[in-house]
Amino acid sequence: MKKHSMLKAVAGAGVLALGIGLAGCAGDRTGGNAGGGEEEAGGIIGVAMPTQQSERWIADGNNVKAQLEELGYQVDLQYANDDIPTQVSQIENMISSGANALIIASIDGTTLTDVLQQAKDADIPVIAYDRLINGTPNVDYYTTFDNYKVGVQQATSLLTGLGVLDASGADTGAAGPFNVELFAGSPDDNNATFFWQGAIDTLQPYLDKGTLVVPSGQTDFGQAAILRWLPETAQERMENILTVIGSTKLQGVLSPYDGLSIGIISALTSGGYSASDLPVVTGQDAEVGSIKSIIAGEQYSTIFKDTRELAKQAVTMVDDIRKGETPQVNDEETYDNGEKIVPSYLLESTIVTKDNYKEILIDSGYYTEADLG
Ligand code: GAL
């Protein structure tokens, strides 16, 4: 069967039926049809997402799926419930069912080496989605946000909320000392160290001169990290810190993700803080619960990363590869996965507070008033 007629057949059939039909044809699943630019793309795209516990990944999955389908692809979208073996076996199934390309947001970026060798052996191109996949040469492209800058933005919003910086980013000269606690993301997620590094580099001068003080003394990434980004683990850590620091009042908490912020705020309110004296708490992802909390004056800030744009970037990369074109990248130095520097396309993120959420989230159509009501 000629490639283009097979691709048309692929486009018309059900994913399961295809799994059987294509099982013996792995050799035909080229990453593109170089030289055959006139041929239509199409085919099955496996999309592996980490969890449905967080609404951002649901939005990512939906956006990627809808945009791929619009271009005529079939989509095998799977969520792994944050379980590594589940994600590995989902990807194996995608490969054996005839996927023509994979888009993967990994749970643990170091656990996909073997399965991605299988993808390589079957000539299936791989796009790392939002999170870098480490320790394998078999990841073709990466699309994400400027993760170091996300960390800088989180720390900047903490400093603005405390009044150390003004709205223009200028130092106000406020001497503090302000008591802050620091949280980091999941140590197996490559992004977590980028967020942390960006934040710490921004906070360090203020820690050094005593404007900021960490009463628990827990200033190492290892102490601050929250495995799998679990809200309940963050809540528990915050509760423990409150016990350790006793009557010392906190003015700020660096949180790298809205889910953690919810857990942290819940520990703070159970620990005696009320809406009027809650510390400045940061976040990331602009999840509905956190935007509501920001509107209510609890959480102070979040970082908006437009999942529609991220999805578009991943979909464009896949479509380019399938058409034999080279995807556009804008960073070829930052994301070294231990085996290679993965060519990346980085998107921009935005700090969101009560002052600008309408403009950033509602005017852009990301949410409606009703979503946040
Ligand atoms: C990171 C991602 C963040 C946040 C976090 C927890 O990898 O970049 O935006 O979603 O995972 O899900």
Side-chain angles (χ1 to χ4, degrees), residues 54 56-57 130-131 144 147 189 191 195 229 256-257 284-285 305:
S54 156
R56 79 145 285 183
W57 297 114
D130 196 66
R131 297 172 173 175
T144 188
N147 292 308
D189 178 346
N191 288 351
F195 302 147
W229 302 92
Y257 160 56
Q284 174 173 206
D285 285 347
K305 305 197 306 189

Side-chain angles (χ1 to χ4, degrees), residues 217-264:
Q218 298 181 14
T219 53
D220 291 340
F221 176 81
Q223 295 171 310
I226 302 294
L227 185 65
R228 292 287 118 72
W229 302 92
L230 287 175
E232 52 273 29
T233 311
Q235 178 166 348
E236 212 176 292
R237 176 166 182 257
M238 189 74 248
E239 284 164 3
N240 290 339
I241 287 174
L242 291 180
T243 308
V244 169
I245 67 175
S247 58
T248 304
K249 277 281 177 192
L250 291 176
Q251 281 84 44
V253 180
L254 174 79
S255 164
Y257 160 56
D258 287 348
L260 304 191
S261 315
I262 302 271
I264 290 164

Side-chain angles (χ1 to χ4, degrees), residues 70-277:
E70 211 160 286
L71 294 178
Y73 292 96
Q74 285 192 42
V75 180
D76 181 4
L77 168 63
Q78 300 291 336
Y79 287 90
N81 203 18
D82 260 343
D83 182 56
I84 296 164
T86 302
Q87 184 164 61
V88 171
S89 82
Q90 287 174 338
I91 296 170
E92 276 170 352
N93 285 339
M94 290 170 186
I95 294 169
S96 63
S97 304
N100 298 97
L102 297 172
I103 296 176
I104 301 171
S106 58
I107 296 166
D108 177 330
T110 63
T111 54
L112 301 178
T113 308
D114 291 347
V115 72
L116 292 192
Q117 186 57 49
Q118 294 171 36
K120 175 68 180 175
D121 294 343
D123 268 333
I124 302 173
V126 173
I127 312 288
Y129 186 93
D130 196 66
R131 297 172 173 175
L132 186 62
I133 300 171
N134 279 308
T136 170
N138 301 317
V139 47
D140 297 281
Y141 292 96
Y142 178 37
T143 184
T144 188
F145 291 80
D146 183 336
N147 292 308
Y148 180 87
K149 197 161 159 196
V150 169
V152 171
Q153 289 176 323
Q154 288 168 337
T156 301
S157 70
L158 177 63
L159 294 171
T160 311
L162 291 171
V164 174
L165 299 179
D166 68 18
S168 73
D171 197 319
T172 61
F178 299 104
N179 294 322
V180 300
E181 290 293 338
L182 311 173
F183 282 72
S186 190
D188 55 5
D189 178 346
N190 194 67
N191 288 351
T193 43
F194 276 79
F195 302 147
W196 176 259
Q197 206 51 55
I200 291 301
D201 287 351
T202 309
L203 299 179
Q204 196 64 52
Y206 298 97
L207 290 163
D208 289 345
K209 65 182 175 193
T211 311
L212 302 181
V213 173
V214 181
S216 70
Q218 298 181 14
T219 53
D220 291 340
F221 176 81
Q223 295 171 310
I226 302 294
L227 185 65
R228 292 287 118 72
W229 302 92
L230 287 175
E232 52 273 29
T233 311
Q235 178 166 348
E236 212 176 292
R237 176 166 182 257
M238 189 74 248
E239 284 164 3
N240 290 339
I241 287 174
L242 291 180
T243 308
V244 169
I245 67 175
S247 58
T248 304
K249 277 281 177 192
L250 291 176
Q251 281 84 44
V253 180
L254 174 79
S255 164
Y257 160 56
D258 287 348
L260 304 191
S261 315
I262 302 271
I264 290 164
I265 290 171
S266 150
L268 290 166
T269 47
S270 324
Y273 288 84
S274 61
S276 58
D277 66 351

Side-chain angles (χ1 to χ4, degrees), residues 6 17-29 95-98 122:
M6 173 178 284
L18 269 168
I20 301 159
L22 286 182
C25 311
D28 202 54
R29 291 176 299 201
I95 294 169
S96 63
S97 304

